[in-house]
Amino acid sequence: MNLTRRQFIKRMTAGIAGFVGIGALGYSYAWYIEPRLLSRQTYVIEHPKVPRAFHNFKILQFSDTHLGFHYDLEQLEKLVRKINEEKPDLLLFTGDLVDEPQTYPFSPRLVDELKKLHAPNGKYWIYGNHDHGGYGTEKIQQVMDSSGFQLLQNEHRTIKNGDSSFTLAGLDDVMLGKPDIAGALYGADEELFTLLMVHEPDVADRFTDKAVDIQLSGHSHGGQVQLPLIGHLVTPPYADKYVEGHYSITETFDLYVSRGIGTTRLPYRFLCRPEYSVFQLKHKDI
Ligand SMILES: [Fe+2]
């Protein structure tokens, strides 16, 4: 087919306009839409060490809100409502509450919102690298303390139901804290089902010989941007190997990595929706 010069220019222009249009659409989607498309990830953890008394026990994990970086208190308010609708038995936050504690304008409303979160068996949290960064260590702890969250910094608690129990441990942040796995598990009963919170997922490889059954992490943000067939492009240090979802590290040790709620560095998410995770414990007969 022979095109006249005018037709050729017209088609070229239309083609370029289309390409730019799709690019702009994708860009707008990644900036304005997907970061707000909160998703719910569900996992069933069926394990012989889960006591019968904890059959159907519901643990909710949220991570990496990065308040102050394209994530505000209105969004947090919606998240709080959603989490409370889930009626979790136990609530876990795996770090990075605020993007930059040094510059974030802390308001009493932050505590008011976090305080509203309800879980009968407790609310626990660990430090992420952004919490320790920018002199945030004490400020973030103040906020979380006032909101009814208990910090697990290289320590553990026993979660009880009648005579049955399991261990919940938390590690200090690997990048900017002083992580001490021996301290976190010191005195814990190795026979009990043990869940460990660690902000950075990749260190799971170091814990294969520890009495830990499950590790819950965040930090990766799933890479924030993923491409079809290629997957994630960039992840932060210590989230290189384990980026999102479930990994069987050994036959007796599983890792779950949350893509988190907010964003950092760049305010985009593409094919990498924000998420919170719901874990349902099930006792497994052997
Ligand atoms: Fe983060």
Side-chain angles (χ1 to χ4, degrees):
M1 184 173 62
N2 283 327
L3 297 177
T4 64
R5 187 180 143 78
R6 182 178 284 184
Q7 278 171 328
F8 178 78
I9 290 172
K10 217 171 154 185
R11 285 195 187 182
M12 270 291 279
T13 312
I16 290 168
F19 191 72
V20 170
I22 288 168
L25 257 178
Y27 189 72
S28 307
Y29 171 81
W31 191 328
Y32 298 106
I33 299 176
E34 190 168 309
R36 290 165 188 273
L37 291 180
L38 182 64
S39 58
R40 173 188 197 264
Q41 198 66 248
T42 56
Y43 301 101
V44 174
I45 297 178
E46 202 173 2
H47 200 287
K49 283 169 84 178
V50 169
R52 280 176 208 282
F54 286 95
H55 192 71
N56 288 332
F57 190 80
K58 194 174 181 181
I59 300 172
L60 193 146
Q61 176 206 6
F62 71 113
S63 199
D64 298 86
T65 40
H66 287 265
L67 277 155
F69 186 81
H70 302 264
Y71 194 80
D72 56 28
L73 293 172
E74 274 75 50
Q75 285 162 284
L76 182 71
E77 190 184 338
K78 280 185 199 157
L79 176 72
V80 165
R81 233 180 293 139
K82 261 213 161 120
I83 290 177
N84 280 341
E85 281 168 16
E86 293 276 359
K87 296 192 174 26
D89 296 303
L90 181 69
L91 186 57
L92 307 178
F93 177 68
T94 43
D96 283 2
L97 180 73
V98 164
D99 195 59
E100 273 185 18
Q102 209 165 12
T103 55
Y104 182 70
F106 286 92
S107 88
R109 199 178 148 202
L110 172 56
V111 170
D112 291 345
E113 288 306 327
L114 292 171
K115 235 184 193 172
K116 287 182 197 162
L117 285 165
H118 181 69
N121 290 79
K123 309 195 282 188
Y124 294 89
W125 74 288
I126 53 167
Y127 278 114
N129 53 315
H130 283 255
D131 302 313
H132 275 314
Y135 306 99
T137 308
E138 283 174 22
K139 182 66 198 169
I140 301 294
Q141 185 173 1
Q142 252 175 35
V143 167
M144 295 305 267
D145 278 353
S146 318
S147 308
F149 275 81
Q150 295 180 58
L151 172 63
L152 292 179
Q153 189 176 18
N154 302 325
E155 57 198 311
H156 68 271
R157 295 283 185 278
T158 305
I159 308 294
K160 288 188 173 143
N161 185 0
D163 293 338
S164 302
S165 53
F166 71 87
T167 301
L168 174 66
L171 199 69
D172 194 5
D173 180 65
V174 171
M175 289 172 71
L176 298 178
K178 292 191 176 78
D180 173 10
I181 187 70
L185 299 172
Y186 182 75
D189 182 348
E190 294 198 2
E191 298 302 312
L192 293 182
F193 179 69
T194 301
L195 209 150
L196 172 70
M197 296 192 282
V198 184
H199 186 64
E200 289 86 351
D202 286 1
V203 291
D205 287 337
R206 301 181 192 169
F207 305 148
T208 51
D209 62 341
K210 303 288 183 255
V212 175
D213 300 293
I214 303 285
Q215 178 180 320
L216 300 188
S217 294
H219 183 60
S220 70
H221 297 210
Q224 284 186 201
V225 171
Q226 298 197 9
L227 295 178
L229 305 176
I230 295 172
H232 64 275
L233 303 175
V234 189
T235 52
Y238 297 96
D240 221 26
K241 188 171 175 188
Y242 304 120
V243 177
E244 62 174 330
H246 171 223
Y247 301 89
S248 288
I249 306 294
T250 70
E251 259 177 46
T252 56
F253 179 37
D254 288 82
L255 165 69
Y256 295 86
V257 186
S258 169
R259 291 195 298 266
I261 302 289
T263 57
T264 189
R265 286 168 185 262
L266 294 169
Y268 322 125
R269 278 188 180 266
F270 190 70
L271 303 182
C272 190
R273 288 171 64 181
E275 67 179 8
Y276 63 85
S277 308
V278 176
F279 299 88
Q280 194 172 27
L281 300 188
K282 300 261 187 198
H283 170 75
K284 188 179 184 181
D285 283 311
I286 41 168

